[in-house]
Amino acid sequence: MKKVQVGDYGFLKRQKMFYILKVVGCIAAGILMYGVGYYVNKGNPKNICSVLALLMSLPMAKAMTEFIVVFPFQEVTKERYEKVRSICPQDGKLMTGMVITSEKRVMNLDFLLEYQGNVIALAGNKETDITYVRDYLVKGVRNWGFDYQVKVIKEEKAFLSAIQSCNPVKVSEQEQKDVVSYLQSLIVK
């Protein structure tokens, strides 16, 4: 079975399950630590195990926060993914189900394609401020590849036609790797 990488189809669903399991695991570990300390200290709850059990609330709170951030967003359907994947160039990097955050908001992109100096993104259904998303991506991508063209589109038909009609821009292989790495680093994980 192929491991799902950041930005691959199914990553968002896998992350949601991971966060739920992490919360449940932290709660179970905390209860177990408290119970062991309570038993070993003959019914006295004031012990180091109680402190350790209490500290399990920190990773649990982090996992719960991450889950709350990604919960409202859904993975794209397999049919929709296959449709977009079929028109994408073979050497392009297609990412899907992206939930990215800035200091001001949480953003969702159904698809993002990096291909020969172009970054073309399809905003998620709940995304309303396309100009903010575009400005955010342009600012970040330009730090790693100055000549990159960035488009954020709201309608799927326009997105598909933008993929088919994108003009290659000359960028170095290192710039391309840096931009892809940057885009993957934006995804909540």
Side-chain angles (χ1 to χ4, degrees), residues 4 43 73 88 101 109:
V4 179
F73 306 106
C88 287
T101 59
L109 299 173

Side-chain angles (χ1 to χ4, degrees), residues 21-74:
L21 291 175
K22 192 172 179 180
V23 167
V24 170
C26 288
I27 291 171
I31 291 172
L32 181 66
M33 283 184 215
Y34 180 79
V36 167
Y38 191 80
Y39 177 75
V40 168
N41 291 303
K42 299 176 180 72
N44 185 1
K46 297 178 182 177
N47 58 62
I48 191 69
C49 290
S50 296
V51 174
L52 293 175
L54 182 63
L55 288 176
M56 288 306 295
S57 65
L58 296 174
M60 183 202 66
K62 182 179 184 297
M64 192 64 154
T65 302
E66 292 166 336
F67 178 74
I68 290 169
V69 166
V70 299
F71 178 74
F73 306 106
Q74 300 298 317

Side-chain angles (χ1 to χ4, degrees), residues 156-174:
E156 190 164 345
K157 283 185 177 182
F159 173 71
L160 296 174
S161 68
I163 290 173
Q164 293 171 331
S165 65
C166 75
N167 297 321
V169 176
K170 189 73 173 164
V171 293
S172 71
E173 192 174 313
Q174 186 61 45

Side-chain angles (χ1 to χ4, degrees), residues 51-114:
V51 174
L52 293 175
L54 182 63
L55 288 176
M56 288 306 295
S57 65
L58 296 174
M60 183 202 66
K62 182 179 184 297
M64 192 64 154
T65 302
E66 292 166 336
F67 178 74
I68 290 169
V69 166
V70 299
F71 178 74
F73 306 106
Q74 300 298 317
E75 192 76 56
V76 297
T77 63
K78 186 71 170 171
E79 297 82 31
R80 204 168 151 216
Y81 174 75
E82 291 300 331
K83 178 182 173 184
V84 172
R85 181 78 233 159
S86 68
I87 67 162
C88 287
Q90 291 294 86
D91 54 340
K93 175 67 176 162
L94 179 66
M95 293 180 243
T96 184
M98 296 177 64
V99 177
I100 58 178
T101 59
S102 71
E103 59 278 350
K104 293 183 180 178
R105 64 178 55 159
V106 178
M107 299 162 278
N108 174 239
L109 299 173
D110 283 348
F111 295 102
L112 185 137
L113 174 68
E114 184 284 325

